[in-house]
Amino acid sequence: LNEALADYASAISMQPNAPGPYLGRGILMLNNGAPERALPDFGRAIELDPKLSAARYNRGLAFLQLGQSAEAEKDFSNVIGQAPTDEAAYLNRGRARAAQGKSSALNDFDRAIALKPEWAAAWYIRGRYFDAQGDTEAANADFQRAYQLGHSDPWLIERMRNLSGG
């Protein structure tokens, strides 16, 4: 990690107006559990290239991790405006909207699944949304589909066992 950070610092010092090194360093920080440290780099990358959707998408993820769902929603909406078939942006905007209690989250989850129906994580996340809304039947259907598509974690496996009576 320290070597990678040093490499990014070197790249930034050589090309301070290039958004790529800021984006890369931000992603490194985000993936290493430091979303608060990633935000300034994503912001700088966006400042240098306002159309760099990867920076907005990753900043949205950082905002989600920090519990700043309204800010995350704005970034994912921007990405969707630039790339209307970006299923991950729809899924994560849905997560941001759900965190704010917005019913429009379901539309985003539905769109993500329509764009990539084989994406197990999308079915799982929509299932969690249905569960939180008290719609157990819809939640179970989505969990079963997620499981069939290969999504597995201990919680989902246990849920599937309970559904099958085992």
Side-chain angles (χ1 to χ4, degrees):
L1 177 63
N2 289 335
E3 289 177 23
L5 289 172
D7 287 345
Y8 280 119
S10 177
I12 289 168
S13 70
M14 290 189 289
Q15 294 183 318
N17 294 320
Y22 293 100
L23 174 62
R25 187 171 68 183
I27 291 171
L28 181 67
M29 295 283 71
L30 182 62
N31 290 340
N32 280 282
E36 69 286 344
R37 291 182 59 197
L39 285 176
D41 282 338
F42 294 141
R44 181 68 176 136
I46 293 165
E47 185 179 305
L48 293 168
D49 184 354
K51 293 185 179 185
L52 186 59
S53 62
R56 288 195 189 274
Y57 177 84
N58 283 287
R59 187 173 72 176
L61 291 177
F63 280 136
L64 268 181
Q65 287 184 22
L66 293 168
Q68 297 176 31
S69 55
E71 294 302 318
E73 180 184 2
K74 289 176 194 173
D75 277 338
F76 294 128
S77 291
N78 184 283
V79 172
I80 290 166
Q82 292 181 50
T85 59
D86 187 326
E87 68 277 350
Y90 278 103
L91 184 69
N92 285 301
R93 186 174 72 176
R95 290 176 57 218
R97 287 177 167 175
Q100 297 173 74
K102 293 182 177 181
S103 61
S104 57
L106 182 57
N107 295 331
D108 285 339
F109 296 141
D110 291 346
R111 183 73 175 135
I113 289 170
L115 287 167
K116 193 171 182 181
E118 72 284 359
W119 191 15
W123 291 93
Y124 176 77
I125 290 170
R126 189 176 72 175
R128 295 298 293 234
Y129 174 79
F130 281 137
D131 227 15
Q133 300 301 309
D135 190 344
T136 304
E137 186 177 331
N140 287 340
D142 279 2
F143 291 143
Q144 287 176 334
R145 185 66 183 134
Y147 187 74
Q148 290 167 349
L149 290 169
H151 189 83
S152 64
D153 63 36
W155 184 91
L156 180 61
I157 292 168
E158 184 62 28
R159 180 79 172 240
M160 292 296 97
R161 274 194 203 120
N162 291 336
L163 285 176
S164 67

